[in-house]
Amino acid sequence: MRSVLGGSIPVKPGITPGSGPGHLGLFGYDPIQYTIGRGALEATGIGFELQPGDVAARCNFCTLDADGNITDRRAGRIPTEQSTPLVRKLREVSVAGVEVFVEPVREHRFVVVFRGAGLEGNVHDTDPQATGVPPLDPRAMDNGSRATAQAAKTFIAEARKLLRDEPQANALTMRGFAGRPDLPSYEEVYGLKAAAIAVYPMYNGLARLVGMRIVGTATTLDEQCSVLEAEWANHDFFFIHFKYTDSTGEDGNFDAKVEKIEQLDAIVPRIEALDPTVLIVTGDHSTPSELKAHCWHPVPTLLFSRVCRPDVCRAFGEKDCVTGGLGQFEAKYLMPLALANAGRLGKYGA
Amino acid sequence: MRSVLGGSIPVKPGITPGSGPGHLGLFGYDPIQYTIGRGALEATGIGFELQPGDVAARCNFCTLDADGNITDRRAGRIPTEQSTPLVRKLREVSVAGVEVFVEPVREHRFVVVFRGAGLEGNVHDTDPQATGVPPLDPRAMDNGSRATAQAAKTFIAEARKLLRDEPQANALTMRGFAGRPDLPSYEEVYGLKAAAIAVYPMYNGLARLVGMRIVGTATTLDEQCSVLEAEWANHDFFFIHFKYTDSTGEDGNFDAKVEKIEQLDAIVPRIEALDPTVLIVTGDHSTPSELKAHCWHPVPTLLFSRVCRPDVCRAFGEKDCVTGGLGQFEAKYLMPLALANAGRLGKYGA
């Protein structure tokens, strides 16, 4: 083989990451130092392009009784077909001096984003995490977040007027208020003009947070490859995301996962034909079909470059990677390794 | 195999740990961040149960000449049979406002613990590390430790009166003043009700410092196993300490060490019969009989769980562990790995 293998530890040994910290590590950002607030991740996940200064919150429709106490924190998990028109209706709400975006997610869940001067995200959840009590007021946890809390309070009051005749979704709670995470861009950190080619909004969104350009529209791996070929000359780094090795793992479908891995294998020659300086195949976490979930196990990682030091491995799999030349390493070191292999890192010290 | 192997690095590569940092790492506490003062470790080692606010010091009997200068810093390594009655005699010393505990260790060594309000442990050693000079005064290194220094000064003066007719052990020095280390408990850190089953006071003492309950009394591995079986339902974590793979290593007795390892192997089925969710076999450091001492080499480590990712290893030994799926990892990550394998860790981030 002309590559070197290893096991990437997403955060630290034993720690299972969500998609946020998983991708931050993969992109070379220490996922303990850099975090993405819940609201910001939810907005990112549906492809909402957060601006610096925006504050996003995850919202739930809930059911209140005549006394204003919560009887169902999820409004009976109202189906998406019913909740989406309600979410759209909430776009009628206006808050003085603040631009408000209201976006459906799924079932009882939606996202609200406030945009305006002087908004900060340190606002307490309004979900009391209990029934039989009213929702909490959105309370600013610091002076900088007072305007956000006030905007949220106005939004909730106006929204309840619009929802008052709904049998289930007659109110809402807001959680995880968070601004856009302040991540230095790929251009700043690595001097790379980077592009992302993903099918799902979440992964394009995460890539956008580190300054990658979203290029093309693709729904299959073949189409992603075509975008890559078309954009090859315009960027020095490409992040290509393939969802289905993860989702088949989450489904516990071993055979389907094998098939997806084989699909990915099959397009590698098309990528190789572009003659990349460095090619890395890895993931932001493992998702064994046995566990049907993200997990902490090291992620099989392959790095090809003309200057990598090949190892004894003859196949690319979990057990092979254990004896690979990259050893086990924290994911955040993958980008420095990539840059080194690309000849893009200077010497440290004289 | 149904397990995964690896090499545990007690502190950092190349660093040989004492029992204190060795066990802190094993218990999941960063042994660089958390330290156990010498006096506290000595008291722990003899089974003395330090309370918060206590200050312990390691003491040596020494020999002074007529001018009060030290002629022997260890009082001729006076045998334990002779020193123990002298240590007991020192219990007659009283210090106003302070409770004093005086406990024998071995030969010229003993422990003094001061208990009382407002005692802190930052007091300079009185051992000048030289002969021909008098012992130093116990000097407080900060304001909070003045009362401790005063108590030590009184104790030393009174002790010298009691010892004045001794031919060798006619005085003492005090070193390593230290309070009980402030370690968060297993319950606080991991949410685990933990128990320790050890034969030697040192290991029960170290376990007690992290909040483990000491259960049963056992002097053999078989008895330790019986305690484990009896206590199985009452705790969610057990630390079972086996001394003799270390002590035979210290003795340089390779064959005896092999025999001790085989003894340990033989009881594994009894532990497996209890159906543990996670079973780990490891040590707080290596003690090769070739070196007759603790060392820095990675410690062979085996982790079994239903969700571990088995590796290519077919035997459990130093050389096999190098190709194990856990790789080489700092000991402090073993507890997170154990908790992950037990399904007791939530996902990090969304």
Side-chain angles (χ1 to χ4, degrees), chain B residues 42 72 75 122 124 160 182 239 244 254 262 270 324 345:
Chain B
E42 192 87 340
D72 189 327
N122 199 4
H124 199 281
R160 280 177 62 172
D182 188 19
F239 164 58
Y244 308 103
F254 181 82
E262 287 170 352
R270 260 182 89 182
L345 282 187

Side-chain angles (χ1 to χ4, degrees), chain B residues 1 5-8 261 265 281 286 298-302 313-324:
Chain B
M1 297 244 294
L5 304 186
S8 162
I261 292 172
D265 283 349
V281 183
S286 293
V299 186
T301 300
L302 176 152
C313 300
R314 288 284 164 272
F316 179 33
E318 284 81 354
K319 287 184 184 172
D320 306 281
C321 284
V322 169
T323 56

